[in-house]
Amino acid sequence: MKVAILGTGKMGGAMARRLHQQGFDLRLWNRTRQRAEQLGIGQVFDTPAEAAGGADVVISMLTDPPAVRQAYLGPNGVLEAPGARIYVDSSTVDPKTHEELARAAVQRGSTFIEAPVSGSVPAVEAGKLLVMVGGEPAVYERLRPVLQALGDVRYVGPLGAAARLKLVANSMLAIISAAAGELYNAGLRAGIDRDRVWEMLIRLAPYLEARRAGFIEGRYEPTLFRLGDMVKDLELASGLYREVGIETPLTQTTRQLFERAAQEHAEQDLAAIAELWRTPASAPPAGRG
Ligand SMILES: NC(=O)c1ccc[n+]([C@@H]2O[C@H](COP(=O)([O-])OP(=O)(O)OC[C@H]3O[C@@H](n4cnc5c(N)ncnc54)[C@H](OP(=O)(O)O)[C@@H]3O)[C@@H](O)[C@H]2O)c1
């Protein structure tokens, strides 16, 4: 099966490497061509449409809704490629973007499914990504071998359901990360041994363990998940919560904290949220005592 990957950034690049290892024939496109060439696998093309032509399945893994729309609907976008195929967007975007792309794909005789993911590059490399699928079950069945090569796949529901679940998941990830930044430093300030504080926090939130160097030592390289991308996710999530009419005070406070941290740490890993509490002399994040 021929698979095109649009976007060979941290996640798209890792997914390409994984699919290559699993025997898939790859066609790659990346805005910055060199980044796709550096992978040293598959065939690299100049435009999304060229990469999609000749592929049975196209997987996009791009930063945000404007980037995804451009790659599908813009000049030389994938939907200009002749022939029918399955399009899969794995980017973290809002459900409306997926609904719009699905309509456009169907008008051209193709099908579209959403498959946002949970887990970073190490999860992709280990084949342990959690892939959330939204769309027609019959299309998902045809895609199953490709998605299962990436990790555990969960069918969530009709198109839009997986994008919504991903926004809920990342709200949780953001809240846990901000809570860890606050409470690790509160524990230290209260005079508790750092290892005892950390041990307790990871017992309650095991996901934190992978970011120990960030939270404890202030080492945020390599960037697994750009802090700036979490600001994007919290904005998309807030739009969803407004739309469905639920108040989300924890998410909103967390969003403000991430926006503040992004002023200096947007390119670092999201654990850099801890910087808001790092300096003993700094004001508390909310500007209150
Ligand atoms: N990192 C994670 O742990 C993680 C986990 C789950 C989901 N995600 C989601 O996965 C997606 C990709 O994240 P990532 O961490 O792989 O980010 P990344 O390393 O920054 O890669 C972003 C990709 O999007 C491309 N891009 C950005 N803006 C573009 C535009 N306007 N037009 C065309 N291409 C554009 C970049 O191309 P260039 O190389 O030219 O910049 C690159 O290929 C995001 O939606 C993110 O929220 C990330």
Side-chain angles (χ1 to χ4, degrees), residues 105-152:
V106 168
Q107 274 170 11
R108 288 161 179 83
S110 286
T111 43
F112 179 93
I113 211 157
E114 56 179 8
V117 302
S118 180
S120 276
V121 170
V124 183
E125 288 170 347
K128 290 190 171 161
L129 208 54
L130 177 65
V131 184
M132 297 162 254
V133 175
E136 289 290 330
V139 181
Y140 161 53
E141 283 307 323
R142 283 161 56 205
L143 261 186
R144 201 196 268 268
V146 183
L147 298 181
Q148 280 182 338
L150 296 170
D152 296 332

Side-chain angles (χ1 to χ4, degrees), residues 10-11 30-32 35 61-63 92 119-120 224 232:
K10 290 186 287 298
M11 291 296 285
N30 195 58
R31 177 180 60 176
T32 310
R35 213 172 170 187
M61 193 49 162
L62 301 161
T63 301
T92 304
S120 276
L224 291 176
K232 176 260 303 185

Side-chain angles (χ1 to χ4, degrees), residues 173-227:
L173 175 61
I175 290 170
I176 293 173
S177 301
E182 176 175 302
L183 298 173
Y184 172 70
N185 288 291
L188 292 193
R189 204 81 67 87
I192 309 166
D193 175 75
R194 72 172 207 176
D195 291 334
R196 296 286 82 75
V197 180
W198 185 248
E199 182 183 55
M200 189 50 71
L201 294 183
I202 61 169
R203 190 180 168 88
L204 294 166
Y207 125 85
L208 292 169
E209 179 61 355
R211 291 192 157 86
R212 180 189 170 91
F215 283 102
I216 294 196
E217 293 160 27
R219 284 198 285 120
Y220 305 116
E221 309 293 338
T223 300
L224 291 176
F225 186 133
R226 264 184 86 242
L227 189 145

Side-chain angles (χ1 to χ4, degrees), residues 236-289:
L236 295 173
S238 300
L240 171 66
Y241 305 147
R242 254 196 320 277
E243 201 181 296
V244 299
I246 181 163
E247 285 193 22
T248 51
L250 280 177
T251 304
Q252 298 319 311
T253 301
T254 303
R255 181 181 169 187
Q256 287 167 14
L257 294 171
F258 270 91
E259 284 171 351
R260 184 152 2 133
Q263 290 169 13
E264 288 185 28
H265 305 286
E267 298 307 319
Q268 288 175 314
D269 188 69
L270 64 84
I273 187 70
E275 287 299 308
L276 292 179
W277 291 271
R278 185 81 60 197
T279 323
S282 69
R288 298 187 293 271

Side-chain angles (χ1 to χ4, degrees), residues 11-67:
M11 291 296 285
M15 288 160 74
R17 284 196 304 272
R18 172 82 191 163
L19 290 176
H20 172 74
Q21 277 167 11
Q22 300 289 310
F24 290 93
D25 189 358
L26 297 183
R27 299 165 70 87
L28 308 176
W29 170 79
N30 195 58
R31 177 180 60 176
T32 310
R33 186 185 164 103
Q34 199 189 12
R35 213 172 170 187
E37 284 169 347
Q38 278 166 354
L39 290 173
I41 52 175
Q43 203 179 344
V44 179
F45 294 87
D46 283 332
T47 66
E50 286 172 58
D56 306 300
V57 173
V58 174
I59 302 178
S60 42
M61 193 49 162
L62 301 161
T63 301
D64 54 13

